[in-house]
Amino acid sequence: MRYLCFIFLLGCASLPKVDHELDPYAEIPEQSAANVGPGAKQAKAQFYFAIAEKYSLKNIDNKALRFYEKAYELDPHAFLAEKILTAEKELKLWQKGLEDAKKFTLFYPKASPIRVLYAEFLLRYKEIDSAIKQLELFQGTENIDVYSLLINAYLVREEIEKAYVVAQKMTEKFPADTIAWVYKAKIALWLNKKEEALQAASMAHRLSPREIEVSLFYAHLLDEKKLPEALAIYNHIFMKNPTNLDLIQKTVSFYQTFGSSEKALARLDRLALDIKQEDRVGL
């Protein structure tokens, strides 16, 4: 993380002179690490890193990757290795990413972000067992991606119970994360643990009440005993998104499930009238 601190100092540090000071995105002359003196390597690496970060912020990942690699050549470091792998993932350079990730994992065996990225590349190539082996080493860390990737790996192998155990640990470790609760709810539903699924979906809804898919999922799990709450959720979402055809279909389906087709059509007519009245008021 020391590189982030150096960005502010770049303006006053003794850096290599270039002819493109007014244009941070201009091409920089190529220069290999072999041609740079020991005292200048770190400063030049910081310079290349700053350029790479600016390209990355502009989503110009191909050039960002080039300068991350140049910085790494001058000052090899786990943080830069992670940046290289992330850029390769964004560019969908799966084969190159897998090769680099395997190499960096050997160089930095305790760097969990690199291990996680390695697991992502392994999953891309359906090397599920190897990916799980990497991820299981870092359960209990603060890296939430470890849990989500491990869940997906177990689901690919159809080991639903193991996926559910990881989802439980994920919600315990990250209780304020909506996705963690959605994982737990959906996997619990697959295991026919309906009460656990409902509780997890309720928590996800409380954390992110404005997320449409989360709210719809929670409303779908509510049974007839909690019909008013489910109706309130559907009505609220529908009024906020009256032209969403997928949402209209789900709303009609909901009314058909808990009422009748006539009631579903009547409700849609009522909603259409409400929307028309609101448009007139707006005029």
Side-chain angles (χ1 to χ4, degrees), residues 180-244:
W181 291 102
V182 170
Y183 268 126
K184 183 177 180 179
K186 289 188 174 182
I187 298 171
L189 194 61
W190 291 334
L191 292 171
N192 204 32
K193 299 176 183 287
K194 294 182 179 179
E195 188 59 35
E196 289 88 341
L198 180 59
Q199 292 174 0
S202 175
M203 178 61 75
H205 176 62
R206 286 201 296 271
L207 289 170
S208 301
R210 295 183 180 180
E211 290 290 334
I212 293 177
E213 291 302 321
V214 173
S215 297
L216 285 174
F217 179 59
Y218 173 54
H220 177 73
L221 291 181
L222 291 170
D223 57 22
E224 294 184 18
K225 295 179 181 178
K226 296 184 178 181
L227 184 57
E229 183 179 356
L231 288 173
I233 293 172
Y234 270 89
N235 289 343
H236 176 75
I237 297 174
F238 191 92
M239 292 304 296
K240 294 288 184 180
N241 304 270
T243 60
N244 187 317

Side-chain angles (χ1 to χ4, degrees), residues 239 266-280:
M239 292 304 296
R267 181 56 184 165
L268 285 177
D269 289 340
R270 177 68 254 177
L271 287 170
L273 180 60
D274 291 342
I275 294 166
K276 184 181 291 187
Q277 289 176 344
E278 286 185 0
D279 290 341
R280 287 176 179 175

Side-chain angles (χ1 to χ4, degrees), residues 40-75:
K41 280 188 177 182
Q42 190 176 53
K44 200 171 187 72
Q46 295 164 17
F47 175 72
Y48 285 148
F49 174 78
I51 297 297
E53 287 288 272
K54 289 182 178 181
Y55 277 129
S56 181
L57 290 173
K58 294 286 186 178
N59 295 318
I60 309 175
D61 294 306
N62 59 329
K63 291 191 175 181
L65 174 59
R66 172 187 165 195
F67 284 100
Y68 285 136
E69 289 176 330
K70 288 170 69 66
Y72 184 85
E73 180 186 0
L74 291 162
D75 187 15

